[in-house]
Amino acid sequence: MTDLALYIHWPFCKSKCPYCDFNSHVRERIEEGRWRNALLAELGHYAAMTPGRTVTSIFFGGGTPSLMSAETVAAVLDRVAALWRRDPGVEITLEANPSSVEAARFRDFRAAGVNRVSLGVQALDDDALEFLGRAHDQAEALDALDVARRTFERFSFDLIYARPGQTVAAWRAELDRALGLAGEHLSVYQLTIEPGTAFATAHARGDFALPDEETQAALYETTQERLSEAGLPAYEISNHARPGAECRHNLAYWRYRDYVGVGPGAHGRLTLEGRKVATRQRRAPETWIDAVERQGHGTEETAILTPDEVREERLMMGLRLAEGIMLDAPLEPARLDPLIEGGFLTLDGDRLKATPAGRQRLNAVLARLID
Ligand code: SF4
């Protein structure tokens, strides 16, 4: 195991979207130099634990990492190059909001070394964007996509479906428009109500309702069908790409490869002395940065995973992928067989895969398989 993926978390956003339960925060003022130094320090901490590794992907996520300055992105990438060997084809992704302010920085991000951008477009409909609490409108998103296409070798964008009142016909038309704008990768997420979000409160109050289960299933199936026909099949529950254009960084998670997570709330999985180790950084931005300034890292927990935990995590991650996983030990037939007979899993030799129906309700499938 020599390959390593690196995740860098930038926890700040301009405003908090009502559906979002990510570790993202709004602050009036950010001392960017201080934040830059802290990220660099934590990279050094993890580099000391992972000598001799080759970095194959770097992912700036958040939060809204496109609010970072290009100098900070460049400083992080320079430090990574100084600390580890970098694969010549290293994939360097930055998540960005499609606002004009951020699009204006794309060339600088490119010059800093970013070669892939993932844009949070979310909808090609102004009413839907307003409902989702997004700061951009459709026209701005289209402009940002245009700049992204001209600036980066690879780009992707996100859409959210199963919005209140959305019909299959309207979603099909929106997907067709998205396909006209897409490169080789699209991420398509189903709207879910996450506890603790503004949407959770509004939904409980009855301010809006999500489409019923039948409509949700039809919207999911439409997504699978339409994007497959267009040559962008699902390679993961919510991610679609032309074969070969998958996000290599996210594949590292789902294939259960090693990754370092730096920044507030970031998680990592590292194979150290033959054992899989889970790492977790302090979640609150201020607590994290204080810890880094005090001790060189903001790690809250480092845990050696048991063989059972490793097996469960491999299944949870691998079954998200259309390619499935190679089983290293047989599963109990009493658990497995009904899921195969029900059309949720397939077993081909030692390769276990979730069918599209299985991937759509993966949590329920996993609960039957491993709980
Ligand atoms: S921009 Fe992204 S990370 Fe920030 S609040 Fe909105 S959805 Fe969450």
Side-chain angles (χ1 to χ4, degrees):
M1 175 76 73
T2 59
D3 287 0
L4 192 64
L6 285 184
Y7 175 78
I8 292 130
H9 191 79
W10 184 258
F12 303 116
C13 290
K14 275 239 166 79
S15 55
K16 183 82 182 175
C17 303
Y19 56 87
C20 175
D21 72 340
F22 295 159
N23 188 22
S24 63
H25 306 264
V26 179
R27 298 285 183 268
E28 239 167 59
R29 221 179 125 258
I30 295 152
E31 293 174 72
E32 188 161 341
R34 207 180 147 211
W35 275 85
R36 177 162 55 223
N37 289 338
L39 290 172
L40 300 180
E42 200 162 67
L43 283 169
H45 169 75
Y46 277 111
M49 291 165 70
T50 54
R53 303 289 187 102
T54 301
V55 172
T56 50
S57 64
I58 303 168
F59 195 102
F60 292 91
T64 308
S66 51
L67 296 175
M68 295 163 93
S69 68
E71 289 75 31
T72 298
V73 172
V76 167
L77 295 177
D78 288 350
R79 185 61 61 90
V80 170
L83 292 170
W84 286 278
R85 200 178 305 124
R86 289 202 330 183
D87 186 90
V90 63
E91 174 190 88
I92 305 177
T93 304
L94 181 120
E95 287 182 332
N97 269 341
S99 78
S100 49
V101 179
E102 286 149 90
R105 293 189 193 161
F106 284 0
R107 281 166 64 105
D108 295 336
F109 290 137
R110 177 73 197 96
V114 172
N115 55 25
R116 183 175 182 276
V117 76
S118 175
L119 289 169
V121 170
Q122 315 309 5
L124 295 169
D125 177 299
D126 280 343
D127 290 341
L129 286 170
E130 201 184 326
F131 167 74
L132 293 169
R134 303 296 304 197
H136 63 274
D137 61 14
Q138 195 190 168
E140 240 185 330
L142 297 184
D143 285 347
L145 278 169
D146 196 42
V147 182
R149 190 178 301 110
R150 285 188 278 112
T151 310
F152 297 98
E153 288 137 65
R154 300 165 66 205
F155 75 98
S156 177
F157 62 93
D158 296 356
L159 292 173
I160 295 177
Y161 72 98
R163 307 183 305 245
Q166 194 173 32
T167 63
V168 171
W171 175 230
R172 181 175 277 272
E174 193 171 338
L175 270 180
D176 283 346
R177 292 191 53 220
L179 281 165
L181 300 164
E184 298 190 310
H185 192 286
L186 266 182
S187 300
V188 188
Y189 299 98
Q190 183 170 335
L191 179 61
T192 51
I193 305 297
E194 302 300 332
T197 60
F199 266 6
T201 313
H203 186 253
R205 221 171 29 217
D207 290 0
F208 67 86
L210 295 180
D212 59 31
E213 243 177 66
E214 206 178 307
T215 310
Q216 289 190 10
L219 291 166
Y220 174 80
E221 279 152 25
T222 301
T223 311
Q224 304 303 308
E225 259 169 43
R226 189 64 201 99
L227 296 186
S228 294
E229 282 163 14
L232 297 176
Y235 66 96
E236 191 265 347
I237 298 172
S238 308
N239 285 281
H240 296 252
R242 285 196 202 292
E246 298 87 357
C247 173
R248 285 171 230 152
H249 183 83
N250 286 338
L251 277 180
Y253 298 150
W254 298 319
R255 288 178 174 162
Y256 209 49
R257 303 268 161 81
D258 276 11
Y259 57 94
V260 158
V262 161
H267 289 247
R269 290 289 181 279
L270 295 170
T271 309
L272 301 174
E273 296 171 8
R275 292 183 299 192
K276 199 80 165 183
V277 173
T279 63
R280 183 165 51 83
Q281 307 312 106
R282 290 174 194 279
R283 192 171 160 87
E286 288 73 19
T287 316
W288 175 84
I289 201 167
D290 287 348
V292 177
E293 288 175 345
R294 216 175 42 246
Q295 61 188 26
H297 64 88
T299 309
E300 179 149 47
E301 193 182 4
T302 305
I304 297 169
L305 299 177
T306 65
D308 277 352
E309 286 170 333
V310 168
R311 192 160 151 265
E312 285 185 13
E313 285 199 343
R314 269 195 78 230
L315 273 173
M316 284 167 64
M317 291 290 127
L319 288 180
R320 299 179 67 97
L321 289 171
E323 68 184 21
I325 58 163
M326 290 299 286
L327 290 178
D328 43 18
L331 290 161
E332 272 179 56
R335 287 173 175 269
L336 187 58
D337 294 352
L339 291 166
I340 293 176
E341 280 153 25
F344 301 113
L345 295 174
T346 61
L347 186 62
D348 181 6
D350 287 335
R351 182 161 287 276
L352 183 69
K353 295 183 193 175
T355 62
R359 289 203 297 276
Q360 197 199 349
R361 41 184 80 69
L362 191 58
N363 287 343
V365 170
L366 286 166
R368 297 239 183 132
L369 202 57
I370 55 184
D371 263 5

